[in-house]
Amino acid sequence: MFIPTRAAGLESLADFVPRAGKDYARDRNHDTGPARDNVSGLSPYLRHRLLTEREVVSAVLERHPLGSCEKFVQEVFWRTYWKGWLEQRPDVWRRYRRDLADQGLTGDYPSVTYDEAIAGRTGIDAIDAWVHELVDTGYLHNHTRMWFASIWIFTLGLPWQLGADFFYRHLLDGDAASNTLSWRWVAGLQTPGKTYLATAANISRYTDGRFSPSGLATSARALVEEPVPSPEAIPPAASAPVQGRVGLLLHEEDLDAASLCAEHPWLDATSGLVAIAGAADPDARSLAGASDVVRRFTASALENGVVRASRALNTPARILPNVLPATVLEWAASERLDAVVVPYASVGPVQERMLALDAALASEAVAFLTVRRRWDSLAWPHAARGFFPFRARIPGLLHQQGLSSRDNT
């Protein structure tokens, strides 16, 4: 369903743009099955930044007035909001990972075992079908993800953390922030006390009668937890050039080096860039690793990103065999690098990997710098509260990005 190249992402974007206005707003919540065309299908490309949020929103605004396509634009900004919110509260991520380690990836629960649930043997036809679709394709419709999480938590009585982990292992577009915080929202933790209850009537309506499951929970009592920490300051990222021989290390969260370097003009072959490498570790998503579908997509997307970076920046590039600090150090030594630059990775496994790499490079007197995209730097500070205050800032954020809709030109 999803070809892991930028070219395929651009083709999907061009196909979707005509439908990004009123058609999307009217039909986006319907899930008629895997061969759906009422949503963009761009999330796997955005998640790995084979496409960037800015270019996707720009393409849509060139075709539609903001008033017509605001629902789609808001959906793009939801992913940005989640990342900014978690960036300011990294302990929520660490708490989730600790909970998983404590629970283990197994167990018997009141109505169904965990193993039965992830095998699609709950006896609820809808969720069993969605399990198989997720495992086979690496994708689920966003509305379906909400139904799934609600049934998992409130009907099956399974821990939300195990459901979030199951999604994260299998979703091509899964990222730490969107996945973890969406599950928390359904459970009544993200907005304390506010849960999402899936109903047979709603499922039947928006699946065009494909599913109308019986026996679903009729109430959804919010889960409780220790208070969430107050927001922290967003860590700084590099904004000034470095001296000497520089290597660019790409990872699975940002694979469009050309647009990244365009935002940071000092990062090119004329100012010290001498080598490019790429390394990814999708299995770090979970104690159980990632699915084969996710592994294949990530590996191919990384290769595509590295090849394109080499061509665009006219710089030799290679894929590293693993993400171990020792491997990166060997690459840095072979290229006689004075500094390694990486795209900024938001809270999650890749950021944890970058922190370990920073320490390893420092021990060998190799500078380590992260460069963050302007899209994130502008938007993330406004994600300290709920989405509605953040949403109100979207027109201003678009203006700061130099993006105007057709009705404002």
Side-chain angles (χ1 to χ4, degrees), residues 277-316:
D281 183 18
D283 283 332
R285 292 185 181 201
S286 169
L287 294 171
S291 72
D292 288 340
V293 173
V294 167
R295 290 191 194 107
R296 289 193 297 268
F297 187 96
T298 304
S300 296
L302 180 73
E303 180 179 6
N304 180 258
V306 169
V307 169
R308 287 186 296 102
S310 180
R311 292 172 180 168
L313 302 174
N314 193 29
T315 303

Side-chain angles (χ1 to χ4, degrees), residues 86 88-96 98 227 229 232 347:
L86 193 60
Q88 298 175 71
R89 298 170 181 82
D91 193 58
V92 170
W93 166 255
R94 292 189 287 264
R95 184 186 299 181
Y96 157 71
R98 288 195 298 268
E232 301 178 10
V347 168

Side-chain angles (χ1 to χ4, degrees), residues 129-152:
W130 296 330
V131 164
H132 291 296
E133 181 181 348
L134 173 60
V135 170
D136 291 344
T137 69
Y139 185 84
L140 283 178
H141 186 283
N142 186 61
H143 204 171
T144 296
R145 298 182 197 197
M146 295 166 59
W147 295 325
F148 188 113
S150 180
I151 295 170
W152 178 282

Side-chain angles (χ1 to χ4, degrees), residues 200-219:
N202 187 259
I203 293 170
S204 178
R205 175 186 175 188
Y206 286 103
T207 62
D208 292 350
R210 288 192 306 130
F211 300 112
S212 183
S214 61
L216 301 188
T218 57
S219 63

Side-chain angles (χ1 to χ4, degrees), residues 79-384:
R79 184 172 290 265
T80 302
Y81 166 77
W82 285 137
K83 285 179 178 290
W85 193 95
L86 193 60
E87 196 70 16
Q88 298 175 71
R89 298 170 181 82
D91 193 58
V92 170
W93 166 255
R94 292 189 287 264
R95 184 186 299 181
Y96 157 71
R97 297 284 264 194
R98 288 195 298 268
D99 289 345
L100 280 174
D102 291 343
Q103 292 172 358
L105 298 176
T106 186
D108 295 336
Y109 297 92
S111 61
V112 66
T113 69
Y114 169 77
D115 289 338
E116 287 172 336
I118 65 171
R121 298 197 306 269
T122 68
I124 300 174
D125 61 349
I127 200 168
D128 291 345
W130 296 330
V131 164
H132 291 296
E133 181 181 348
L134 173 60
V135 170
D136 291 344
T137 69
Y139 185 84
L140 283 178
H141 186 283
N142 186 61
H143 204 171
T144 296
R145 298 182 197 197
M146 295 166 59
W147 295 325
F148 188 113
S150 180
I151 295 170
W152 178 282
I153 297 168
F154 301 117
T155 298
L156 300 180
L158 295 167
W160 73 266
Q161 296 94 332
L162 294 184
D165 179 80
F166 178 59
F167 267 25
Y168 199 22
R169 299 201 318 264
H170 289 279
L171 284 171
L172 296 177
D173 62 12
D175 69 59
S178 296
N179 186 62
T180 307
L181 302 184
S182 294
W183 274 83
R184 285 174 51 84
W185 182 81
V186 171
L189 298 172
Q190 192 63 22
T191 303
K194 182 179 180 180
T195 59
Y196 177 79
L197 179 65
T199 66
N202 187 259
I203 293 170
S204 178
R205 175 186 175 188
Y206 286 103
T207 62
D208 292 350
R210 288 192 306 130
F211 300 112
S212 183
S214 61
L216 301 188
T218 57
S219 63
R221 184 176 181 180
L223 305 184
V224 295
E225 64 177 352
E226 294 295 320
V228 171
S230 299
E232 301 178 10
I234 295 173
S239 59
V242 292
Q243 302 298 317
R245 295 172 62 85
V246 177
L248 174 64
L249 178 64
L250 297 177
H251 52 69
E252 59 266 42
E253 294 205 348
D254 199 319
L255 292 171
D256 189 39
S259 62
L260 181 69
C261 292
E263 293 190 24
H264 303 277
W266 55 269
L267 186 57
D268 62 30
T270 65
S271 56
L273 180 66
V274 297
I276 298 170
D281 183 18
D283 283 332
R285 292 185 181 201
S286 169
L287 294 171
S291 72
D292 288 340
V293 173
V294 167
R295 290 191 194 107
R296 289 193 297 268
F297 187 96
T298 304
S300 296
L302 180 73
E303 180 179 6
N304 180 258
V306 169
V307 169
R308 287 186 296 102
S310 180
R311 292 172 180 168
L313 302 174
N314 193 29
T315 303
R318 62 178 171 133
I319 305 289
L320 301 183
N322 57 60
V323 300
L324 296 175
T327 301
V328 179
L329 284 171
E330 181 182 345
W331 168 65
S334 69
E335 299 290 349
R336 297 179 289 113
L337 299 181
D338 299 297
V340 171
V341 177
V342 299
Y344 190 94
S346 55
V347 168
V350 179
Q351 186 183 93
E352 292 166 355
R353 193 166 85 222
M354 294 302 106
L355 292 173
L357 179 58
D358 186 5
L361 289 170
S363 70
E364 298 297 326
V366 177
F368 181 84
L369 296 94
T370 59
V371 288
R372 186 159 56 225
R373 291 184 181 268
R374 191 164 182 262
W375 180 276
D376 297 332
S377 293
L378 289 173
W380 285 357
H382 300 299

